[in-house]
Amino acid sequence: MKRIVTGWLAACALAIGLFPAAASAAGYTQTKYPIVLVHGLFGFDNIGPVEYFYGIPSALRADGAKVYVVQVAAANSTEVRGEQLLTQVKQILAATGASKVNLMGHSHGGPTTRYVASVRPDLVASVTSIGGVNKGSTVADVLLGVAPAGTFSNTVLVSITNGLGTIINFLSGGGGLTQNSLAAAQSLSTAGSKKFNAAHPQGVPTSACGEGAYSVNGVAYYSWSGAKPYTNLLDIADPALTLTSLAFLGAKNDGLVSSCSSRLGKVIRDDYAINHLDEVNQTVGLTNLFETSPVTLFRQQANRLKNAGL
């Protein structure tokens, strides 16, 4: 009997000890302003059960965040995508009554969110760039070099990629958005990014691989990215990212974007052992088992924003 009582007391003590830890999770991601997730090139909100930000929205919502996943053109210029995002931001603000949003953009979603923060900083509390193409991608440079505008190869490539973008938008319920893969490639090139940054410099590092301003016009800027193209033997996308990583000639990269190009504002890290798709927990969660989960990285950033009063 004594042994039973002792065991019961020990169990109660353990439960009491664990309770504060469990309670601390409540509200962990509860930011002041709604979080808006913005996809990259050939991205989507969801196609059937497959989310672009795989498992991330639900994880953020579980501990208090209001999360919205928008859909802009799968392939188009940063400015076109930015205007599409701005329209949706206004709709989210009208629906929620919030005065601002926290924008989180992956890949081409990085510059897309920056565009909105640049033209309407009064509507944006923060911009978080995840694997963002903030100073261009060598992969886009190579594609434009291999298939320059006006050539037959370019016509074929553009036709195929525009068609892919149209299919993606249709399957994800975003039909009607105009696709322009050539404009997308030009926006993501080094030259295109340089031109964009001249018009929208907020948060962009002035040095080759430094940090940018942490806050501009009342908008806080953050970034993080991976630097390991091949991370999971079961992920069918990893071999392709390993191949595209060769374009960077040994420079640290995630398979599609160099670490230096990804840097914006306050750099959390630019060397996680994850690749460009891992950054949004793709393919369907097949990421590096020996690195922090991408879902956790998004949760940590939401908590960071919460603690900053955003």
Side-chain angles (χ1 to χ4, degrees):
M1 181 66 179
K2 182 179 179 181
R3 182 177 300 176
I4 294 174
V5 172
T6 301
W8 181 82
L9 290 174
C12 289
L14 178 61
I16 293 171
L18 289 176
F19 181 77
S24 67
Y28 181 78
T29 61
Q30 192 170 354
T31 54
K32 178 178 180 180
Y33 303 108
I35 293 172
V36 178
L37 301 178
V38 185
H39 64 75
L41 181 67
F42 296 128
F44 49 90
D45 48 4
N46 66 281
I47 296 178
V50 179
E51 302 171 296
Y52 180 89
F53 293 91
Y54 192 73
I56 292 167
S58 58
L60 293 173
R61 291 176 183 132
D63 290 319
K66 290 183 178 179
V67 183
Y68 295 84
V69 184
V70 299
Q71 183 172 2
V72 297
N76 214 315
S77 70
T78 301
E79 292 81 0
V80 168
R81 286 165 50 98
E83 284 295 323
Q84 293 169 350
L85 173 59
L86 178 56
T87 297
Q88 292 174 77
V89 165
K90 291 177 180 177
Q91 292 169 345
I92 291 168
L93 294 178
T96 62
S99 59
K100 297 183 179 183
V101 294
N102 290 303
L103 296 174
M104 294 188 179
H106 174 246
S107 191
H108 198 181
T112 303
T113 58
R114 288 173 46 212
Y115 174 87
V116 175
S118 176
V119 301
R120 289 300 306 270
D122 57 311
L123 303 182
V124 182
S126 70
V127 166
T128 301
S129 175
I130 303 103
V133 194
N134 294 310
K135 288 192 175 181
S137 171
T138 303
V139 176
D141 294 341
V142 169
L143 285 175
L144 289 172
V146 171
T151 64
F152 176 73
S153 57
N154 177 267
T155 300
V156 173
L157 180 63
V158 167
S159 295
I160 293 172
T161 52
N162 280 351
L164 176 61
T166 300
I167 292 170
I168 289 171
N169 270 275
F170 174 76
L171 292 176
S172 56
L177 295 175
T178 303
Q179 308 301 319
N180 189 334
S181 56
L182 178 58
Q186 290 171 336
S187 285
L188 295 171
S189 69
T190 301
S193 295
K194 185 176 181 180
K195 181 179 179 181
F196 178 80
N197 290 345
H200 310 283
Q202 298 87 346
V204 178
T206 55
S207 61
C209 199
E211 286 191 306
Y214 286 11
S215 180
V216 184
N217 296 329
V219 181
Y221 288 86
Y222 303 85
S223 62
W224 82 76
S225 60
K228 188 176 177 60
Y230 203 109
T231 62
N232 193 308
L233 291 172
L234 300 178
D235 192 340
I236 60 173
D238 281 23
L241 289 171
T242 301
L243 182 63
T244 54
S245 73
L246 299 177
F248 296 93
L249 302 177
K252 192 167 58 174
N253 69 90
D254 65 5
L256 286 177
V257 182
S258 74
S259 294
C260 288
S261 178
S262 75
R263 296 168 72 91
L264 182 79
K266 180 178 178 60
V267 180
I268 297 163
R269 270 184 64 181
D270 69 353
D271 61 352
Y272 286 106
I274 54 179
N275 62 38
H276 198 68
L277 293 183
D278 289 347
E279 289 160 357
V280 289
N281 203 33
Q282 291 290 354
T283 306
V284 292
L286 294 173
T287 62
N288 191 345
L289 298 176
F290 304 100
E291 180 56 278
T292 305
S293 164
V295 176
T296 298
L297 296 182
F298 274 85
R299 281 173 43 79
Q300 289 174 342
Q301 178 61 1
N303 181 254
R304 191 175 287 114
L305 295 174
K306 173 191 173 181
N307 292 337
L310 303 174

